[in-house]
Amino acid sequence: MDRTDLQRLTKEELIDLVLRIQRPEKTSRTSSKPPSSDRKARRDRAKPGGAKAGHKGHSRAMSEDAD
């Protein structure tokens, strides 16, 4: 929506638009959304899992007489 579109709006439409923009984001605490749909704050800052670069792997040695 650009400036000319905004100028064409009626006063009531402009008020509705401003109120819609100012509404807080819906979360499970402010609406009937389930908690699983909330954005997890820590997920953005989390480090990726798995082995780190340069880490030497290790495993068990194979037995010569396996059962």
Side-chain angles (χ1 to χ4, degrees):
M1 192 174 262
D2 62 354
R3 188 178 190 92
T4 57
D5 293 333
L6 289 173
Q7 289 173 341
R8 290 184 190 141
L9 293 176
T10 65
K11 185 176 181 178
E12 291 79 22
E13 291 172 332
L14 191 57
I15 290 171
D16 288 340
L17 178 65
V18 169
L19 291 176
R20 204 175 337 136
I21 290 172
Q22 290 180 344
R23 281 192 194 122
E25 184 178 338
K26 288 187 177 182
T27 65
S28 62
R29 292 179 182 227
T30 61
S31 70
S32 60
K33 289 176 59 174
S36 61
S37 67
D38 288 345
R39 181 129 178 100
K40 306 290 189 254
R42 288 179 38 180
R43 193 173 289 169
D44 296 336
R45 293 177 282 138
K47 294 180 182 177
K52 305 303 178 209
H55 178 76
K56 183 180 178 188
H58 52 86
S59 62
R60 289 185 172 185
M62 291 288 279
S63 174
E64 294 202 14
D65 53 338
D67 293 345

